[in-house]
């Protein structure tokens, strides 16, 4: 079925339904191929394509990449996976008329738009596309002199209030600083830019462009307190409703959970003798996705997790993993009691000390569990070959989003690469051949960039500068301090030992800089509670071994699960 093409303002498109909840969207999708586009409230208004395929309702976030405004080219590009389009209608037309799958992993095809009944409340292009609440600004009186500097004094006044004093408009947090570049290297979208100037009867639009203030561009919390169900770095523009008349700026935001009582602890800080070993694992609270008792690898939970990860861009998943890794490592969220008990300010310092034995064991457990879970994501795909190749591609893209210069989460990168380099996964020749054929860019990035990078990190020669890296690669130092022998010839192992010890000392010394780098990346980040829970060590353990098996010794658990992965690998591609 052809999708109408009546301009690029997709608020007028029949398949666009405006702000619509996931439940209401799923109720409108009756048959396979039915689709609609909605503004997701939980994602600050970002566009989402909802489609029914093979009896299930799937939701795909459309990414918006802002461009520096230039004559003759669009201000933003839209994309689902690889190809980018100058507008959302052109993206929808391409996927519908060309019968292209919305994602390679699901193969979902959108063919029949669900027609909107009645008008929508607001224009998507002016409100929800901002990825924030409504940008509320009082109308400005039109004058011929408004294009001159003298006319700027009337900004914020209505036509009736022109003789009186100008109304106060709250300071808005924009997606970037005044001197920051518009395009960033990280794959996660950081917001969008409004077309402030438009052609209208030969005059400037009523809204004048706002100069970016020198203020943080991303707020820390949503004042509404609503639990988000999606996650991205979404710029939040504070609303003017409820703002006192004498208060022209945004309300003071509460500090994030990892910065609580920081000023109090910085005062008069001195060395304290350690009292006990400290654990940074959260208490054993009940998991939302798991019941009080669960069996290993429950199919329903695995299906829910697959849909959850498919909903999120690799850059968003990388930030979730960075957040959980920083908490597990004791870089962020360390309480005053924990600082006093361990005698230092950070887990990066604690893991180098004798009484950091418990933390080192926890970090090794987390690394092994995440690597096994990543391998299971590939080996558990019993469907078409392309499905496994798409899963490999997803892990490669996640590793790229975790590398230095992006999220900079090196423990997370090590876990993902551990899954990709696991023998049960690396032996799947047909799957890797399909990856090189269908996703050449991902295959080249894995071979030419990620594998050499991981080899250098394991040998203590990779990048570890704070800023480029938010959380350093701690696994080599942890293994060494726990008494594991280094592989290789004696002379090479001695050099590697010295490099690892040197990096461990430097890591402990630069712990405040790493903390600052991690907090800067996570500033304004609003995590999805379910995805954050799914990345915790306790959840992964319960998922892999069940509520009863998780209490077994680590060596026994790892050995049994390695055998499970070997059986799955043989079933997918038996030895000839």
């Amino acid at each position: 079925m052809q999708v109408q093409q009546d301009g690029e303002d997709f608020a007028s498109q029949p398949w666009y339904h405006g702000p619509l909840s996931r439940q209401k969207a799923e109720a409108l999708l009756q048959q396979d191929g039915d689709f609609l586009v909605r503004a997701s409230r939980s994602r600050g208004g970002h566009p989402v394509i909802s489609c029914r395929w093979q009896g299930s309702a799937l939701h795909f976030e459309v990414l918006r990449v802002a461009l520096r405004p230039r004559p003759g080219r669009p201000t933003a590009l839209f994309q689902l996976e690889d190809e980018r389009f100058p507008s959302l209608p052109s993206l929808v037309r391409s996927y519908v008329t060309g019968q292209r799958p919305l994602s390679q992993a699901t193969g979902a095809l959108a063919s029949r738009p669900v027609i909107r009944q009645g008008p929508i409340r607001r224009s998507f292009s002016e409100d929800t596309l901002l990825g924030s609440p409504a940008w509320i600004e009082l109308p400005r009186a039109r004058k011929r002199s408004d294009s001159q500097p003298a006319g700027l004094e009337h900004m914020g006044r209505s036509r009736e209030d022109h003789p009186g004093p100008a109304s106060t408009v709250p300071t808005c947090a924009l997606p970037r600083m005044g001197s920051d570049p518009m395009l960033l290297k990280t794959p996660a979208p950081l917001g969008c830019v409004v077309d402030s100037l438009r052609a209208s009867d030969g005059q400037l639009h009523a809204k004048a462009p706002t100069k970016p203030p020198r203020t943080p561009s991303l707020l820390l919390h949503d004042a509404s307190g609503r639990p988000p169900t999606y996650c991205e770095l979404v710029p939040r523009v504070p609303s003017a409703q409820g703002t006192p008349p004498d208060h022209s700026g945004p309300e003071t935001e509460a500090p994030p959970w990892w910065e609580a009582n920081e000023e109090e602890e910085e005062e008069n800080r001195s060395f304290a003798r350690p009292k006990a070993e400290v654990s940074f694992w959260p208490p054993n609270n009940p998991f939302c996705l798991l019941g009080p008792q669960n069996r290993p690898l429950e199919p329903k939970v695995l299906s829910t997790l697959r849909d959850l990860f498919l909903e999120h861009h690799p850059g968003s998943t990388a930030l979730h993993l960075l957040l959980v890794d920083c908490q597990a490592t004791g870089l962020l969220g360390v309480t005053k009691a924990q600082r006093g008990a361990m005698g230092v300010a950070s887990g990066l310092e604690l893991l180098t000390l004798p009484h950091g034995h418990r933390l080192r064991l926890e970090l090794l457990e987390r690394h092994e569990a995440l690597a096994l879970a990543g391998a299971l994501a590939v080996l558990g795909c019993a469907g078409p070959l392309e499905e496994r190749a798409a899963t490999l591609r997803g892990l490669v893209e996640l590793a790229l989003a975790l590398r230095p210069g992006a999220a900079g989460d090196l423990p997370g990168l090590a876990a993902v690469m551990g899954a990709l380099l696991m023998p049960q996964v690396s032996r799947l020749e047909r799957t890797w051949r399909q990856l090189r054929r269908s996703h050449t860019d991902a295959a080249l990035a894995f071979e030419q960039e990620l594998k050499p990078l991981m080899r250098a990190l394991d040998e203590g020669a990779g990048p570890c500068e704070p800023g480029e890296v938010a959380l350093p690669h701690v696994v080599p130092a942890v293994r060494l301090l726990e008494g594991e022998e280094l592989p290789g010839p004696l002379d090479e192992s001695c050099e590697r030992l010295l490099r690892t010890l040197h990096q461990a000392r430097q890591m402990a010394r630069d712990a405040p800089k790493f903390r600052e780098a991690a907090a800067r990346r996570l500033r304004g980040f609003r995590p999805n509670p379910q995805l954050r829970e799914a990345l915790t060590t306790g959840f992964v353990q319960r998922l892999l071994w069940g509520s009863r098996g998780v209490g077994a010794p680590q060596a026994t658990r790892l050995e049994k699960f390695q055998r499970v992965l070997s059986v799955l690998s043989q079933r997918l591609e038996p030895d000839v």
Side-chain angles (χ1 to χ4, degrees):
M1 179 175 180
Q2 286 284 351
V3 180
Q4 296 183 13
Q5 182 178 1
D6 53 350
E8 298 302 304
D9 181 12
F10 51 88
S12 62
Q13 299 290 341
W15 38 257
Y16 174 64
H17 288 244
L20 190 67
S21 66
R22 174 195 291 247
Q23 292 75 17
K24 292 182 179 179
E26 293 179 352
L28 295 175
L29 304 173
Q30 301 296 326
Q31 303 177 7
D32 283 359
D34 289 355
F35 79 94
L36 59 86
V37 180
R38 59 187 176 90
S40 173
R41 290 190 178 94
S42 61
R43 305 230 48 187
H46 278 206
V48 172
I49 298 178
S50 299
C51 175
R52 183 166 294 278
W53 185 249
Q54 295 182 350
S56 300
L58 305 176
H59 306 273
F60 305 92
E61 182 190 6
V62 179
L63 305 179
R64 187 180 190 275
V65 181
L67 302 177
R68 188 179 300 276
R70 289 182 182 177
R73 78 171 189 180
T75 59
L77 298 177
F78 297 80
Q79 74 177 92
L80 278 177
E81 287 197 335
D82 291 331
E83 186 176 358
R84 296 179 177 180
F85 299 85
S87 66
L88 184 59
S90 62
L91 181 148
V92 174
R93 286 195 298 271
S94 176
Y95 279 89
V96 174
T97 58
Q99 284 298 280
R100 303 167 53 191
L102 297 176
S103 76
Q104 295 295 333
T106 63
L109 298 177
S111 55
R112 288 182 303 275
V114 177
I115 306 302
R116 181 183 70 247
Q117 302 296 329
I120 57 179
R121 291 181 302 169
R122 296 185 62 89
S123 170
F124 195 166
S125 59
E126 291 186 339
D127 182 12
T128 57
L129 193 57
L130 286 173
S132 60
W135 188 309
I136 300 178
E137 183 176 352
L138 297 177
R140 170 186 169 186
R142 282 191 178 228
K143 289 180 57 180
R144 292 185 180 273
S145 62
D146 279 348
S147 60
Q148 302 298 326
L152 296 178
E153 63 183 0
H154 304 293
M155 182 182 298
R157 302 184 189 178
S158 65
R159 189 181 301 272
E160 292 78 4
D161 298 337
H162 181 72
S167 302
T168 303
V169 180
T171 304
C172 296
L174 295 180
R176 66 186 185 97
M177 308 291 281
S179 59
D180 288 344
M182 199 69 103
L183 292 178
L184 303 178
K185 293 183 179 180
T186 54
L190 297 181
C192 54
V193 180
V194 185
D195 297 334
S196 299
L197 299 178
R198 302 180 183 177
S200 176
D201 299 330
Q203 294 181 351
L204 291 178
H205 191 264
K207 290 183 179 180
T210 308
K211 181 179 180 181
R214 300 295 300 183
T215 57
S217 59
L218 296 174
L219 301 183
L220 297 175
H221 286 295
D222 187 4
S224 64
R226 296 175 301 177
T229 57
Y230 286 85
C231 60
E232 277 292 349
L233 283 175
V234 180
R236 306 297 298 170
V237 181
S239 172
Q241 294 178 348
T243 303
D246 57 346
H247 182 65
S248 59
E251 296 183 359
T252 303
E253 293 286 341
W257 55 267
W258 62 77
E259 292 184 357
N261 301 325
E262 180 66 18
E263 294 183 0
E264 176 185 349
E265 296 181 26
E266 288 291 342
E267 296 179 0
N268 301 323
R269 176 178 294 175
S270 58
F271 174 77
R273 183 178 297 277
K275 303 174 184 177
E277 292 201 358
V278 175
S279 172
F280 296 110
W281 279 13
N284 294 323
N285 296 327
F287 296 109
C288 298
L289 300 175
L290 296 172
Q293 301 292 329
N294 73 292
R295 301 179 63 183
L297 306 179
E298 290 187 353
K300 184 178 179 180
V301 178
L302 292 176
S303 177
T304 301
L305 289 176
R306 180 176 179 82
D307 294 339
L308 184 63
F309 279 96
L310 286 176
E311 286 180 356
H312 292 81
H313 188 270
S316 171
T317 306
L319 288 176
H320 278 85
L321 192 54
L322 172 63
L323 177 61
V324 180
D325 280 337
C326 286
Q327 186 177 14
T329 312
L331 185 64
L332 299 178
V334 183
T335 65
K336 186 176 182 179
Q338 289 173 327
R339 292 177 190 267
M342 63 186 180
V344 289
S346 168
L348 292 180
E349 302 167 80
L350 176 63
L351 64 85
T352 63
L353 300 176
H355 58 285
H357 171 70
R358 181 177 180 180
L359 174 60
R360 292 192 291 269
L361 293 182
E362 291 177 354
L363 293 178
L364 288 177
E365 174 75 26
R366 174 169 178 79
H367 173 77
E368 298 290 350
L370 288 178
L372 292 176
L376 178 66
V378 178
L379 300 174
C381 294
L385 180 64
E386 177 58 34
E387 182 181 355
R388 291 199 301 276
T391 305
L392 279 180
R393 174 203 174 190
L395 288 176
V396 171
E397 290 181 342
L398 177 58
L400 291 172
L402 291 165
R403 72 188 190 278
D409 179 10
L410 300 191
L413 172 65
V416 176
M417 291 298 294
L420 292 171
L421 297 173
M422 200 166 291
Q424 294 90 333
V425 176
S426 58
R427 66 171 293 274
L428 301 176
E429 295 182 2
R430 292 175 50 234
T431 306
W432 287 99
R433 190 181 305 118
Q434 182 67 27
L435 176 73
R436 290 189 289 270
R437 182 183 300 115
S438 302
H439 312 289
T440 308
D441 292 342
L444 289 176
F446 176 72
E447 294 291 340
Q448 300 179 2
E449 180 177 356
L450 292 177
K451 288 177 69 174
L453 171 63
M454 199 66 242
R455 190 181 305 112
L457 290 173
D458 287 336
E459 295 176 354
C464 60
E465 289 297 324
E468 184 182 14
V469 172
L471 187 60
H473 187 33
V474 299
V475 174
V478 168
R479 292 189 187 279
L480 184 64
L481 293 172
E482 285 302 305
E484 294 190 17
E485 295 184 1
L486 297 176
L490 181 60
D491 54 346
E492 295 181 4
S493 61
C494 288
E495 293 180 3
R496 183 175 173 182
L497 174 92
L498 294 176
R499 288 196 302 266
T500 302
L501 291 176
H502 173 72
Q503 283 203 354
R505 289 192 295 268
Q506 189 174 4
M507 178 178 60
R509 183 193 62 196
D510 293 338
K513 297 180 181 179
F514 285 118
R515 183 186 184 280
E516 181 182 354
R520 184 167 59 248
R521 280 172 168 83
L522 294 170
R523 186 171 295 127
F525 178 56
R526 303 172 61 201
N528 180 315
Q530 289 185 331
L531 183 56
R532 177 181 172 186
E533 172 187 289
L535 294 172
T536 59
T537 310
F539 180 91
V540 177
Q541 287 181 316
R542 286 271 306 273
L543 174 70
L544 299 182
W545 293 288
S547 53
R548 296 179 58 184
V550 73
Q554 181 191 32
T556 304
R557 288 186 285 109
L558 294 179
E559 181 184 359
K560 289 183 177 180
F561 206 85
Q562 287 287 350
R563 291 203 298 265
V564 171
L565 295 181
S566 298
V567 171
L568 293 175
S569 180
Q570 285 292 333
R571 287 181 180 179
L572 293 177
E573 296 187 20
D575 290 331
V576 180

